[in-house]
Amino acid sequence: MTSPNPNFSAPVPGGQGFIPGAPVSKTKWIVQLVVCAVTTVLCSPLQLVSTIIAIVGLVKAGSDVESANKLYKVTWIVYAIIWVIAIIVWIILIATGALGAILDSSSTSY
């Protein structure tokens, strides 16, 4: 008889833990990684931090589900904090008029 694969486990009915050898769905980590990566490319390069944490969580999901779940939560917290910081910076730029100066200087033609 072969030993159970430590990379797999599934919740026990009643919330008592995990059954060794049962597969774990990595869907939530994959969705998180896609959201963080798309945000990094389209909106905020600072989200690269959350993308890296999401990658580490996805990798750990195969061997250490408990640690991966902690990283899953940390990634969403970091993601939210970076968005709050970005929004505050945009508000400051708009309120001080610096955004208009930045945009005017970048559209200068020679």
Side-chain angles (χ1 to χ4, degrees), residues 17-102:
F18 292 93
I19 299 172
V24 172
S25 172
K26 295 182 182 180
T27 305
K28 72 178 187 178
W29 289 284
I30 293 169
V31 169
Q32 182 181 55
L33 178 59
V34 169
V35 168
C36 292
V38 168
T39 305
T40 300
V41 172
L42 297 179
C43 303
S44 174
L46 289 176
Q47 288 295 355
L48 184 61
V49 175
S50 60
T51 304
I52 292 170
I53 298 170
I55 291 169
V56 173
L58 178 61
V59 170
K60 283 190 173 261
S63 60
D64 186 5
V65 177
E66 185 178 327
S67 178
N69 281 330
K70 288 178 185 175
L71 286 172
Y72 180 78
K73 292 175 187 174
V74 168
T75 302
W76 284 125
I77 292 168
V78 169
Y79 182 83
I81 289 171
I82 291 173
W83 267 114
V84 168
I85 291 169
I87 290 169
I88 290 171
V89 168
W90 276 99
I91 290 171
I92 291 170
L93 288 174
I94 291 170
T96 61
L99 184 62
I102 292 169

